[in-house]
């Protein structure tokens, strides 16, 4: 039996090389080894206002980008979160197993509340509990995450342990998987901040669907540090970030790169990085262009994914409902 791996991306903004390096690339590398569930989490996305027709087309586009990045639909379960009612149902139960104090400590809530101060809704606040439900429903073993999600996974584990203390063995306790390099890609104009796909300034990120000329322009504009040396250093956050991107995409180690760019200037380094990015994005964009026009194919994948995911999720949900004292549905309905 393969271990169960679950990972998700919220359909907001444009998928970036941060998402690629921190999530999609790892998914591709891990897909044969694990029983993988890959979601587009539209229920998480609406914690921030989304224009309905854009959300719909973005969900399709993200699935097409997953496929274009090499995620195999036959080998994995690919689905949209809202197609599985069990996520919302378990989230409600787990809300009742989560303390307000725990939610108050979530740094992502604090950051997002600051950013969206005119819409601090209850969904944004209980988002980590929905994420816990996403993970626990499938008895997940491994959750590949960037370090921005560490705190949420810790909370998931705490909730699961708390529930299991009263109801033995209901939830499998998931482990985080954090890739060694590039766990966190930083913004191009402000390397102290994470690269976010929903950033209001697109010059902060490279999108997977950015045209070559746009990639070149954004890398040229990317901020650099004082001095001239191209090396990984705490005092050089901008160059360190660009080197990390280079390393993750080329497979070369950071020390190999420091050697390669010894005595070279920033302009040359940036040009080579932009060329590498363009080269890596080209096949993804080529496959994407074909896929996005085939809505029937994508719909069929989502239908199949929802069928498989519903079956699995409902198994856990029914156990949990029974444990908390809900009457079995069959007995009422039948
Ligand atoms: P948003 O701004 O909407 O929160 P995001 O880019 O943070 O967008 P998420 O949907 O929150 O994207 O996360 C999707 C996946 O991508 C997660 O596994 C997350 O850890 C990973 N990820 C997101 N940003 C980065 C980054 N800058 N570097 C590495 N991994 C990242
Ligand atoms: Mg995020």
């Amino acid at each position: 039996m393969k271990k169960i791996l679950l990972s998700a991306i919220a359909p907001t903004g444009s998928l970036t090389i941060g998402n690629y390096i921190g999530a999609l690339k790892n998914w591709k590398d891990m897909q044969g080894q694990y029983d993988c569930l890959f979601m587009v989490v539209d229920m998480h996305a609406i914690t921030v206002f989304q224009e309905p027709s854009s959300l719909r087309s973005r969900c399709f586009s993200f699935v097409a980008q997953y496929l274009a990045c090499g995620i195999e639909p036959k080998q994995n379960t690919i689905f949209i979160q809202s197609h599985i009612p069990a996520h919302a149902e378990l989230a409600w139960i787990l809300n009742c197993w989560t303390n307000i104090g725990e939610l108050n400590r979530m740094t992502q809530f604090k950051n997002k509340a600051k950013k969206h101060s005119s819409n601090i809704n209850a969904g944004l606040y209980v988002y980590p509990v929905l994420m816990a439900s996403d993970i626990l429903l499938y008895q997940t073993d491994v959750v590949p995450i960037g370090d921005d999600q560490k705190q949420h996974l810790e909370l998931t584990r705490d909730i699961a342990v708390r529930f299991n203390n009263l109801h033995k063995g209901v939830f499998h306790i998931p482990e985080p998987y954090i890739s060694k390099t590039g766990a966190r890609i930083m913004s191009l104009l402000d390397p102290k901040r994470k690269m976010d796909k929903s950033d209001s300034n697109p010059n902060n990120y490279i999108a997977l669907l950015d045209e070559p000329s746009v990639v070149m322009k954004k890398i040229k504009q990317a901020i650099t540090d004082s001095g001239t040396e191209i090396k990984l250093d705490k005092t050089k956050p901008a160059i360190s970030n660009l080197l990390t991107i280079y390393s993750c995409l080329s497979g070369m180690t950071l020390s190999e790169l420091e050697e390669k760019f010894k005595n070279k200037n920033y302009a040359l380094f940036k040009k080579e990085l932009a060329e590498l990015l363009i080269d890596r994005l080209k096949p993804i964009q080529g496959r994407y262009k074909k896929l996005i026009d085939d809505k029937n194919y994508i719909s069929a994948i989502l239908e199949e994914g929802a069928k498989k995911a519903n079956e699995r999720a409902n198994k856990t949900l029914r156990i949990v409902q029974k444990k908390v004292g809900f009457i079995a549905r069959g007995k009422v309905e039948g």
Side-chain angles (χ1 to χ4, degrees), residues 88-132:
E89 293 189 67
L90 182 63
W92 178 254
I93 295 174
L94 296 186
N95 275 332
C96 304
W97 284 77
T98 307
N99 298 317
I100 282 188
E102 293 178 300
L103 295 178
N104 287 341
R105 284 197 290 277
M106 295 295 121
T107 54
Q108 193 182 86
F109 171 72
K110 289 184 210 165
N111 293 341
K112 291 216 167 172
K114 241 186 252 159
K115 207 166 141 191
H116 305 281
S117 56
S118 61
N119 180 21
I120 308 176
N121 61 73
L124 192 63
Y125 186 61
V126 293
Y127 167 117
V129 185
L130 181 58
M131 177 168 158

mmCIF file of all heavy atoms in Angstrom, residues 88-132:
data_model
loop_
_atom_site.group_PDB
_atom_site.id
_atom_site.type_symbol
_atom_site.label_atom_id
_atom_site.label_comp_id
_atom_site.label_asym_id
_atom_site.label_seq_id
_atom_site.Cartn_x
_atom_site.Cartn_y
_atom_site.Cartn_z
ATOM 1 N N ALA A 88 -16.858 20.480 3.883
ATOM 2 C CA ALA A 88 -17.583 21.464 4.695
ATOM 3 C C ALA A 88 -18.209 20.798 5.917
ATOM 4 O O ALA A 88 -18.237 21.379 7.000
ATOM 5 C CB ALA A 88 -18.666 22.127 3.840
ATOM 6 N N GLU A 89 -18.673 19.574 5.722
ATOM 7 C CA GLU A 89 -19.336 18.882 6.845
ATOM 8 C C GLU A 89 -18.344 18.560 7.963
ATOM 9 O O GLU A 89 -18.634 18.756 9.140
ATOM 10 C CB GLU A 89 -19.993 17.603 6.341
ATOM 11 C CG GLU A 89 -21.168 17.878 5.400
ATOM 12 C CD GLU A 89 -21.934 16.614 5.077
ATOM 13 O OE1 GLU A 89 -22.562 16.040 5.973
ATOM 14 O OE2 GLU A 89 -21.876 16.172 3.910
ATOM 15 N N LEU A 90 -17.164 18.061 7.590
ATOM 16 C CA LEU A 90 -16.173 17.756 8.628
ATOM 17 C C LEU A 90 -15.654 19.049 9.258
ATOM 18 O O LEU A 90 -15.422 19.113 10.465
ATOM 19 C CB LEU A 90 -14.995 16.936 8.059
ATOM 20 C CG LEU A 90 -13.945 16.552 9.113
ATOM 21 C CD1 LEU A 90 -14.551 15.633 10.195
ATOM 22 C CD2 LEU A 90 -12.740 15.865 8.489
ATOM 23 N N ALA A 91 -15.502 20.080 8.427
ATOM 24 C CA ALA A 91 -14.997 21.357 8.953
ATOM 25 C C ALA A 91 -15.908 21.863 10.071
ATOM 26 O O ALA A 91 -15.433 22.369 11.082
ATOM 27 C CB ALA A 91 -14.873 22.390 7.844
ATOM 28 N N TRP A 92 -17.214 21.719 9.876
ATOM 29 C CA TRP A 92 -18.128 22.185 10.934
ATOM 30 C C TRP A 92 -17.876 21.437 12.243
ATOM 31 O O TRP A 92 -17.758 22.033 13.313
ATOM 32 C CB TRP A 92 -19.599 22.057 10.520
ATOM 33 C CG TRP A 92 -20.449 22.491 11.658
ATOM 34 C CD1 TRP A 92 -21.181 21.724 12.501
ATOM 35 C CD2 TRP A 92 -20.552 23.836 12.162
ATOM 36 N NE1 TRP A 92 -21.737 22.489 13.494
ATOM 37 C CE2 TRP A 92 -21.365 23.791 13.304
ATOM 38 C CE3 TRP A 92 -20.017 25.063 11.744
ATOM 39 C CZ2 TRP A 92 -21.680 24.933 14.052
ATOM 40 C CZ3 TRP A 92 -20.328 26.207 12.484
ATOM 41 C CH2 TRP A 92 -21.144 26.135 13.625
ATOM 42 N N ILE A 93 -17.764 20.125 12.129
ATOM 43 C CA ILE A 93 -17.533 19.327 13.349
ATOM 44 C C ILE A 93 -16.198 19.737 13.985
ATOM 45 O O ILE A 93 -16.113 19.978 15.189
ATOM 46 C CB ILE A 93 -17.552 17.812 13.018
ATOM 47 C CG1 ILE A 93 -18.963 17.419 12.545
ATOM 48 C CG2 ILE A 93 -17.130 16.984 14.237
ATOM 49 C CD1 ILE A 93 -19.093 15.987 12.050
ATOM 50 N N LEU A 94 -15.164 19.877 13.163
ATOM 51 C CA LEU A 94 -13.838 20.206 13.731
ATOM 52 C C LEU A 94 -13.777 21.632 14.272
ATOM 53 O O LEU A 94 -12.983 21.921 15.163
ATOM 54 C CB LEU A 94 -12.730 19.950 12.702
ATOM 55 C CG LEU A 94 -12.552 18.480 12.274
ATOM 56 C CD1 LEU A 94 -11.336 18.328 11.365
ATOM 57 C CD2 LEU A 94 -12.430 17.538 13.483
ATOM 58 N N ASN A 95 -14.613 22.525 13.741
ATOM 59 C CA ASN A 95 -14.700 23.873 14.337
ATOM 60 C C ASN A 95 -15.039 23.756 15.812
ATOM 61 O O ASN A 95 -14.594 24.552 16.634
ATOM 62 C CB ASN A 95 -15.813 24.704 13.668
ATOM 63 C CG ASN A 95 -15.336 25.397 12.424
ATOM 64 O OD1 ASN A 95 -14.163 25.723 12.293
ATOM 65 N ND2 ASN A 95 -16.252 25.643 11.498
ATOM 66 N N CYS A 96 -15.866 22.747 16.111
ATOM 67 C CA CYS A 96 -16.304 22.554 17.498
ATOM 68 C C CYS A 96 -15.238 21.859 18.338
ATOM 69 O O CYS A 96 -15.410 21.662 19.531
ATOM 70 C CB CYS A 96 -17.617 21.777 17.521
ATOM 71 S SG CYS A 96 -18.889 22.597 16.542
ATOM 72 N N TRP A 97 -14.142 21.508 17.700
ATOM 73 C CA TRP A 97 -13.014 20.873 18.401
ATOM 74 C C TRP A 97 -11.772 21.771 18.383
ATOM 75 O O TRP A 97 -10.669 21.334 18.657
ATOM 76 C CB TRP A 97 -12.679 19.524 17.750
ATOM 77 C CG TRP A 97 -13.671 18.464 18.115
ATOM 78 C CD1 TRP A 97 -14.925 18.311 17.608
ATOM 79 C CD2 TRP A 97 -13.508 17.427 19.095
ATOM 80 N NE1 TRP A 97 -15.555 17.249 18.200
ATOM 81 C CE2 TRP A 97 -14.701 16.673 19.116
ATOM 82 C CE3 TRP A 97 -12.459 17.053 19.946
ATOM 83 C CZ2 TRP A 97 -14.877 15.581 19.955
ATOM 84 C CZ3 TRP A 97 -12.641 15.962 20.775
ATOM 85 C CH2 TRP A 97 -13.843 15.248 20.780
ATOM 86 N N THR A 98 -11.963 23.032 17.976
ATOM 87 C CA THR A 98 -10.832 23.960 17.861
ATOM 88 C C THR A 98 -11.072 25.144 18.780
ATOM 89 O O THR A 98 -12.193 25.673 18.829
ATOM 90 C CB THR A 98 -10.714 24.460 16.398
ATOM 91 O OG1 THR A 98 -10.676 23.327 15.533
ATOM 92 C CG2 THR A 98 -9.463 25.294 16.178
ATOM 93 N N ASN A 99 -10.041 25.551 19.504
ATOM 94 C CA ASN A 99 -10.188 26.699 20.402
ATOM 95 C C ASN A 99 -9.932 28.003 19.665
ATOM 96 O O ASN A 99 -9.079 28.069 18.777
ATOM 97 C CB ASN A 99 -9.184 26.598 21.550
ATOM 98 C CG ASN A 99 -9.442 25.363 22.385
ATOM 99 O OD1 ASN A 99 -10.594 25.054 22.692
ATOM 100 N ND2 ASN A 99 -8.382 24.633 22.704
ATOM 101 N N ILE A 100 -10.645 29.030 20.083
ATOM 102 C CA ILE A 100 -10.447 30.355 19.497
ATOM 103 C C ILE A 100 -8.997 30.811 19.681
ATOM 104 O O ILE A 100 -8.401 31.401 18.783
ATOM 105 C CB ILE A 100 -11.440 31.354 20.135
ATOM 106 C CG1 ILE A 100 -12.817 31.161 19.518
ATOM 107 C CG2 ILE A 100 -10.980 32.783 19.944
ATOM 108 C CD1 ILE A 100 -13.820 32.189 19.913
ATOM 109 N N GLY A 101 -8.430 30.491 20.840
ATOM 110 C CA GLY A 101 -7.032 30.874 21.128
ATOM 111 C C GLY A 101 -6.079 30.331 20.068
ATOM 112 O O GLY A 101 -5.144 31.008 19.657
ATOM 113 N N GLU A 102 -6.347 29.097 19.627
ATOM 114 C CA GLU A 102 -5.476 28.490 18.604
ATOM 115 C C GLU A 102 -5.583 29.272 17.298
ATOM 116 O O GLU A 102 -4.584 29.552 16.633
ATOM 117 C CB GLU A 102 -5.881 27.037 18.367
ATOM 118 C CG GLU A 102 -5.616 26.135 19.552
ATOM 119 C CD GLU A 102 -6.084 24.699 19.308
ATOM 120 O OE1 GLU A 102 -7.291 24.483 19.070
ATOM 121 O OE2 GLU A 102 -5.243 23.790 19.377
ATOM 122 N N LEU A 103 -6.815 29.619 16.926
ATOM 123 C CA LEU A 103 -7.005 30.351 15.664
ATOM 124 C C LEU A 103 -6.402 31.758 15.746
ATOM 125 O O LEU A 103 -5.874 32.267 14.760
ATOM 126 C CB LEU A 103 -8.495 30.420 15.311
ATOM 127 C CG LEU A 103 -9.155 29.077 15.003
ATOM 128 C CD1 LEU A 103 -10.635 29.268 14.720
ATOM 129 C CD2 LEU A 103 -8.484 28.400 13.814
ATOM 130 N N ASN A 104 -6.479 32.353 16.927
ATOM 131 C CA ASN A 104 -5.912 33.707 17.102
ATOM 132 C C ASN A 104 -4.407 33.736 16.880
ATOM 133 O O ASN A 104 -3.852 34.778 16.579
ATOM 134 C CB ASN A 104 -6.212 34.235 18.505
ATOM 135 C CG ASN A 104 -7.674 34.612 18.668
ATOM 136 O OD1 ASN A 104 -8.382 34.813 17.681
ATOM 137 N ND2 ASN A 104 -8.135 34.702 19.901
ATOM 138 N N ARG A 105 -3.780 32.590 17.055
ATOM 139 C CA ARG A 105 -2.314 32.558 16.896
ATOM 140 C C ARG A 105 -1.857 32.383 15.444
ATOM 141 O O ARG A 105 -0.670 32.466 15.147
ATOM 142 C CB ARG A 105 -1.736 31.407 17.744
ATOM 143 C CG ARG A 105 -1.677 31.726 19.239
ATOM 144 C CD ARG A 105 -0.744 30.772 19.963
ATOM 145 N NE ARG A 105 -1.276 29.419 20.026
ATOM 146 C CZ ARG A 105 -2.151 28.996 20.946
ATOM 147 N NH1 ARG A 105 -2.592 29.823 21.872
ATOM 148 N NH2 ARG A 105 -2.592 27.757 20.940
ATOM 149 N N MET A 106 -2.765 32.141 14.530
ATOM 150 C CA MET A 106 -2.364 31.847 13.144
ATOM 151 C C MET A 106 -1.825 33.104 12.450
ATOM 152 O O MET A 106 -2.570 34.071 12.250
ATOM 153 C CB MET A 106 -3.564 31.291 12.343
ATOM 154 C CG MET A 106 -4.075 29.959 12.840
ATOM 155 S SD MET A 106 -2.853 28.641 12.625
ATOM 156 C CE MET A 106 -2.645 28.113 14.304
ATOM 157 N N THR A 107 -0.564 33.064 12.074
ATOM 158 C CA THR A 107 0.028 34.279 11.496
ATOM 159 C C THR A 107 -0.560 34.588 10.118
ATOM 160 O O THR A 107 -0.671 35.745 9.742
ATOM 161 C CB THR A 107 1.566 34.170 11.386
ATOM 162 O OG1 THR A 107 1.853 32.980 10.670
ATOM 163 C CG2 THR A 107 2.237 34.118 12.730
ATOM 164 N N GLN A 108 -0.959 33.542 9.368
ATOM 165 C CA GLN A 108 -1.518 33.827 8.043
ATOM 166 C C GLN A 108 -2.837 34.613 8.166
ATOM 167 O O GLN A 108 -3.094 35.512 7.385
ATOM 168 C CB GLN A 108 -1.755 32.545 7.253
ATOM 169 C CG GLN A 108 -2.026 32.864 5.797
ATOM 170 C CD GLN A 108 -2.325 31.643 4.967
ATOM 171 O OE1 GLN A 108 -3.454 31.174 4.878
ATOM 172 N NE2 GLN A 108 -1.294 31.127 4.326
ATOM 173 N N PHE A 109 -3.626 34.286 9.196
ATOM 174 C CA PHE A 109 -4.870 35.037 9.406
ATOM 175 C C PHE A 109 -4.532 36.499 9.700
ATOM 176 O O PHE A 109 -5.136 37.412 9.118
ATOM 177 C CB PHE A 109 -5.696 34.437 10.554
ATOM 178 C CG PHE A 109 -6.858 35.313 10.940
ATOM 179 C CD1 PHE A 109 -7.959 35.430 10.095
ATOM 180 C CD2 PHE A 109 -6.833 36.060 12.115
ATOM 181 C CE1 PHE A 109 -9.021 36.265 10.422
ATOM 182 C CE2 PHE A 109 -7.889 36.896 12.444
ATOM 183 C CZ PHE A 109 -8.983 36.999 11.594
ATOM 184 N N LYS A 110 -3.567 36.694 10.575
ATOM 185 C CA LYS A 110 -3.208 38.078 10.934
ATOM 186 C C LYS A 110 -2.761 38.851 9.684
ATOM 187 O O LYS A 110 -3.187 39.984 9.462
ATOM 188 C CB LYS A 110 -2.089 38.082 11.983
ATOM 189 C CG LYS A 110 -2.561 37.607 13.346
ATOM 190 C CD LYS A 110 -1.430 37.718 14.360
ATOM 191 C CE LYS A 110 -1.568 36.666 15.432
ATOM 192 N NZ LYS A 110 -0.364 36.478 16.224
ATOM 193 N N ASN A 111 -1.923 38.216 8.860
ATOM 194 C CA ASN A 111 -1.431 38.888 7.646
ATOM 195 C C ASN A 111 -2.562 39.171 6.665
ATOM 196 O O ASN A 111 -2.676 40.269 6.123
ATOM 197 C CB ASN A 111 -0.388 38.025 6.919
ATOM 198 C CG ASN A 111 0.875 37.888 7.741
ATOM 199 O OD1 ASN A 111 1.116 38.697 8.650
ATOM 200 N ND2 ASN A 111 1.681 36.873 7.464
ATOM 201 N N LYS A 112 -3.409 38.143 6.439
ATOM 202 C CA LYS A 112 -4.485 38.328 5.455
ATOM 203 C C LYS A 112 -5.522 39.325 5.958
ATOM 204 O O LYS A 112 -6.111 40.067 5.172
ATOM 205 C CB LYS A 112 -5.128 36.980 5.092
ATOM 206 C CG LYS A 112 -4.165 36.096 4.300
ATOM 207 C CD LYS A 112 -4.829 35.255 3.233
ATOM 208 C CE LYS A 112 -3.753 34.685 2.307
ATOM 209 N NZ LYS A 112 -4.187 33.723 1.345
ATOM 210 N N ALA A 113 -5.767 39.336 7.275
ATOM 211 C CA ALA A 113 -6.736 40.282 7.838
ATOM 212 C C ALA A 113 -6.235 41.714 7.622
ATOM 213 O O ALA A 113 -7.013 42.623 7.318
ATOM 214 C CB ALA A 113 -6.955 39.991 9.316
ATOM 215 N N LYS A 114 -4.925 41.877 7.760
ATOM 216 C CA LYS A 114 -4.346 43.213 7.533
ATOM 217 C C LYS A 114 -4.517 43.616 6.067
ATOM 218 O O LYS A 114 -4.905 44.728 5.752
ATOM 219 C CB LYS A 114 -2.841 43.159 7.871
ATOM 220 C CG LYS A 114 -2.467 44.118 9.002
ATOM 221 C CD LYS A 114 -0.970 44.148 9.202
ATOM 222 C CE LYS A 114 -0.594 43.436 10.491
ATOM 223 N NZ LYS A 114 0.801 42.994 10.538
ATOM 224 N N LYS A 115 -4.255 42.648 5.188
ATOM 225 C CA LYS A 115 -4.294 42.921 3.752
ATOM 226 C C LYS A 115 -5.723 43.164 3.257
ATOM 227 O O LYS A 115 -5.940 43.926 2.328
ATOM 228 C CB LYS A 115 -3.696 41.706 3.028
ATOM 229 C CG LYS A 115 -3.074 41.994 1.694
ATOM 230 C CD LYS A 115 -2.229 40.814 1.248
ATOM 231 C CE LYS A 115 -2.352 40.562 -0.232
ATOM 232 N NZ LYS A 115 -1.745 39.287 -0.629
ATOM 233 N N HIS A 116 -6.695 42.495 3.867
ATOM 234 C CA HIS A 116 -8.086 42.615 3.412
ATOM 235 C C HIS A 116 -8.933 43.192 4.551
ATOM 236 O O HIS A 116 -9.944 42.608 4.944
ATOM 237 C CB HIS A 116 -8.627 41.251 2.977
ATOM 238 C CG HIS A 116 -7.778 40.594 1.928
ATOM 239 N ND1 HIS A 116 -7.827 40.936 0.598
ATOM 240 C CD2 HIS A 116 -6.810 39.651 2.025
ATOM 241 C CE1 HIS A 116 -6.944 40.219 -0.073
ATOM 242 N NE2 HIS A 116 -6.308 39.432 0.761
ATOM 243 N N SER A 117 -8.528 44.328 5.066
ATOM 244 C CA SER A 117 -9.131 44.854 6.299
ATOM 245 C C SER A 117 -10.623 45.187 6.137
ATOM 246 O O SER A 117 -11.344 45.274 7.119
ATOM 247 C CB SER A 117 -8.351 46.072 6.787
ATOM 248 O OG SER A 117 -8.304 47.021 5.746
ATOM 249 N N SER A 118 -11.091 45.351 4.884
ATOM 250 C CA SER A 118 -12.515 45.659 4.715
ATOM 251 C C SER A 118 -13.358 44.384 4.626
ATOM 252 O O SER A 118 -14.572 44.449 4.510
ATOM 253 C CB SER A 118 -12.708 46.500 3.459
ATOM 254 O OG SER A 118 -12.261 45.758 2.355
ATOM 255 N N ASN A 119 -12.723 43.220 4.649
ATOM 256 C CA ASN A 119 -13.490 41.968 4.532
ATOM 257 C C ASN A 119 -12.868 40.883 5.419
ATOM 258 O O ASN A 119 -12.398 39.860 4.940
ATOM 259 C CB ASN A 119 -13.519 41.524 3.056
ATOM 260 C CG ASN A 119 -14.291 40.222 2.851
ATOM 261 O OD1 ASN A 119 -15.113 39.837 3.675
ATOM 262 N ND2 ASN A 119 -14.008 39.530 1.750
ATOM 263 N N ILE A 120 -12.842 41.141 6.734
ATOM 264 C CA ILE A 120 -12.308 40.126 7.658
ATOM 265 C C ILE A 120 -13.481 39.231 8.054
ATOM 266 O O ILE A 120 -14.145 39.452 9.056
ATOM 267 C CB ILE A 120 -11.634 40.776 8.886
ATOM 268 C CG1 ILE A 120 -10.600 41.810 8.429
ATOM 269 C CG2 ILE A 120 -10.975 39.704 9.760
ATOM 270 C CD1 ILE A 120 -9.943 42.574 9.543
ATOM 271 N N ASN A 121 -13.741 38.230 7.201
ATOM 272 C CA ASN A 121 -14.926 37.390 7.416
ATOM 273 C C ASN A 121 -14.590 36.158 8.255
ATOM 274 O O ASN A 121 -13.423 35.800 8.433
ATOM 275 C CB ASN A 121 -15.538 37.021 6.058
ATOM 276 C CG ASN A 121 -14.567 36.238 5.198
ATOM 277 O OD1 ASN A 121 -14.313 35.067 5.460
ATOM 278 N ND2 ASN A 121 -13.985 36.881 4.186
ATOM 279 N N ALA A 122 -15.635 35.496 8.743
ATOM 280 C CA ALA A 122 -15.438 34.339 9.627
ATOM 281 C C ALA A 122 -14.743 33.191 8.887
ATOM 282 O O ALA A 122 -14.008 32.405 9.484
ATOM 283 C CB ALA A 122 -16.777 33.890 10.190
ATOM 284 N N GLY A 123 -14.975 33.116 7.568
ATOM 285 C CA GLY A 123 -14.330 32.062 6.775
ATOM 286 C C GLY A 123 -12.811 32.188 6.801
ATOM 287 O O GLY A 123 -12.085 31.194 6.920
ATOM 288 N N LEU A 124 -12.342 33.420 6.708
ATOM 289 C CA LEU A 124 -10.891 33.664 6.738
ATOM 290 C C LEU A 124 -10.320 33.183 8.069
ATOM 291 O O LEU A 124 -9.228 32.623 8.140
ATOM 292 C CB LEU A 124 -10.639 35.175 6.564
ATOM 293 C CG LEU A 124 -9.218 35.621 6.293
ATOM 294 C CD1 LEU A 124 -8.704 35.077 4.972
ATOM 295 C CD2 LEU A 124 -9.141 37.154 6.265
ATOM 296 N N TYR A 125 -11.117 33.368 9.111
ATOM 297 C CA TYR A 125 -10.683 33.013 10.468
ATOM 298 C C TYR A 125 -10.626 31.488 10.676
ATOM 299 O O TYR A 125 -9.686 30.962 11.255
ATOM 300 C CB TYR A 125 -11.664 33.667 11.440
ATOM 301 C CG TYR A 125 -11.308 33.549 12.891
ATOM 302 C CD1 TYR A 125 -10.118 34.097 13.390
ATOM 303 C CD2 TYR A 125 -12.166 32.911 13.785
ATOM 304 C CE1 TYR A 125 -9.812 34.000 14.726
ATOM 305 C CE2 TYR A 125 -11.860 32.821 15.122
ATOM 306 C CZ TYR A 125 -10.675 33.363 15.591
ATOM 307 O OH TYR A 125 -10.365 33.265 16.921
ATOM 308 N N VAL A 126 -11.646 30.778 10.162
ATOM 309 C CA VAL A 126 -11.691 29.322 10.382
ATOM 310 C C VAL A 126 -11.061 28.525 9.219
ATOM 311 O O VAL A 126 -11.088 27.301 9.226
ATOM 312 C CB VAL A 126 -13.132 28.808 10.657
ATOM 313 C CG1 VAL A 126 -13.651 29.339 11.979
ATOM 314 C CG2 VAL A 126 -14.077 29.167 9.529
ATOM 315 N N TYR A 127 -10.483 29.234 8.286
ATOM 316 C CA TYR A 127 -9.780 28.599 7.159
ATOM 317 C C TYR A 127 -8.882 27.435 7.598
ATOM 318 O O TYR A 127 -8.907 26.360 7.000
ATOM 319 C CB TYR A 127 -8.994 29.717 6.461
ATOM 320 C CG TYR A 127 -7.942 29.390 5.443
ATOM 321 C CD1 TYR A 127 -8.093 29.802 4.113
ATOM 322 C CD2 TYR A 127 -6.756 28.736 5.767
ATOM 323 C CE1 TYR A 127 -7.116 29.561 3.173
ATOM 324 C CE2 TYR A 127 -5.775 28.490 4.828
ATOM 325 C CZ TYR A 127 -5.957 28.895 3.531
ATOM 326 O OH TYR A 127 -4.991 28.643 2.603
ATOM 327 N N PRO A 128 -8.063 27.604 8.673
ATOM 328 C CA PRO A 128 -7.187 26.486 9.055
ATOM 329 C C PRO A 128 -7.953 25.224 9.446
ATOM 330 O O PRO A 128 -7.431 24.115 9.291
ATOM 331 C CB PRO A 128 -6.409 27.025 10.264
ATOM 332 C CG PRO A 128 -6.517 28.510 10.174
ATOM 333 C CD PRO A 128 -7.829 28.799 9.532
ATOM 334 N N VAL A 129 -9.191 25.371 9.900
ATOM 335 C CA VAL A 129 -9.969 24.185 10.282
ATOM 336 C C VAL A 129 -10.466 23.472 9.019
ATOM 337 O O VAL A 129 -10.518 22.246 8.950
ATOM 338 C CB VAL A 129 -11.156 24.561 11.195
ATOM 339 C CG1 VAL A 129 -11.870 23.305 11.664
ATOM 340 C CG2 VAL A 129 -10.673 25.392 12.377
ATOM 341 N N LEU A 130 -10.807 24.262 7.999
ATOM 342 C CA LEU A 130 -11.187 23.651 6.718
ATOM 343 C C LEU A 130 -9.973 22.916 6.136
ATOM 344 O O LEU A 130 -10.101 21.811 5.611
ATOM 345 C CB LEU A 130 -11.702 24.730 5.746
ATOM 346 C CG LEU A 130 -12.158 24.245 4.376
ATOM 347 C CD1 LEU A 130 -13.272 23.203 4.457
ATOM 348 C CD2 LEU A 130 -12.626 25.423 3.497
ATOM 349 N N MET A 131 -8.812 23.505 6.282
ATOM 350 C CA MET A 131 -7.593 22.842 5.793
ATOM 351 C C MET A 131 -7.355 21.546 6.567
ATOM 352 O O MET A 131 -6.975 20.521 5.983
ATOM 353 C CB MET A 131 -6.398 23.788 5.923
ATOM 354 C CG MET A 131 -5.088 23.158 5.513
ATOM 355 S SD MET A 131 -3.785 24.394 5.338
ATOM 356 C CE MET A 131 -2.341 23.350 5.521
ATOM 357 N N ALA A 132 -7.599 21.569 7.868
ATOM 358 C CA ALA A 132 -7.451 20.350 8.679
ATOM 359 C C ALA A 132 -8.415 19.272 8.154
ATOM 360 O O ALA A 132 -8.042 18.102 8.018
ATOM 361 C CB ALA A 132 -7.739 20.654 10.145
#
